Amino acid sequence: MNIVCSNCFTTNRIPKEKKHNQAKCGKCQEPVYSLLPTVLTNNTFSPFIERNDLPIVVDFWASWCSPCQNMAAIFDKVAQGSPYLLFAKVNTEQIQKVATEARIRSLPTLVFFHQGEEIDRISGGLNEVQMKQWIMACMNKIA
Ligand SMILES: [Zn+2]
């Protein structure tokens, strides 16, 4: 399984018998997998989305958006409880190129990616139950 290092963004091939959440990056020696959301940039967005074999939930947010602020702690909590998913954040004020290409029109928007493809998206503030239900529905679509 390929996992993109959450620290240096090198693609690591994790052997089947090894646990991805215990593997260290071959390049930077940091843990490859982070339970907390990975902050993406214009340079790291595409490789992270395209080269990871685990599904990824991306939070598109902005500092002026109060529903985004409210959802940030929930997003972190759901991420920490989901060891077979990757979570990432895009600050749409700083990373405008990615936000434009992803056609983000309202905030917050969550987008679920698998093997480089968008599976689904949902806009507006979600509570923990709503977020988990939406993620589960996305998982069912790729199962
Ligand atoms: Zn690394």
Side-chain angles (χ1 to χ4, degrees), residues 4 16 28-29 33 54 61 80 87 96-97 126 137 140:
V4 176
K16 255 191 193 140
C28 72
Q29 305 303 320
Y33 176 87
L54 291 175
W61 68 283
Q80 285 172 295
F87 289 75
Q96 289 180 4
K97 179 171 162 274
L126 303 177
N140 286 334

Side-chain angles (χ1 to χ4, degrees), residues 91-130:
N91 180 335
T92 57
E93 292 162 287
Q94 293 170 1
I95 318 299
Q96 289 180 4
K97 179 171 162 274
V98 165
T100 303
E101 284 173 5
R103 306 178 319 280
I104 302 301
R105 294 196 177 89
S106 64
L107 297 174
T109 292
L110 298 182
V111 183
F112 189 101
F113 291 96
H114 185 231
Q115 292 172 343
E117 301 283 333
E118 177 178 333
I119 305 300
D120 198 7
R121 67 172 60 191
I122 189 166
S123 294
L126 303 177
N127 63 32
E128 186 178 344
V129 171
Q130 290 167 329

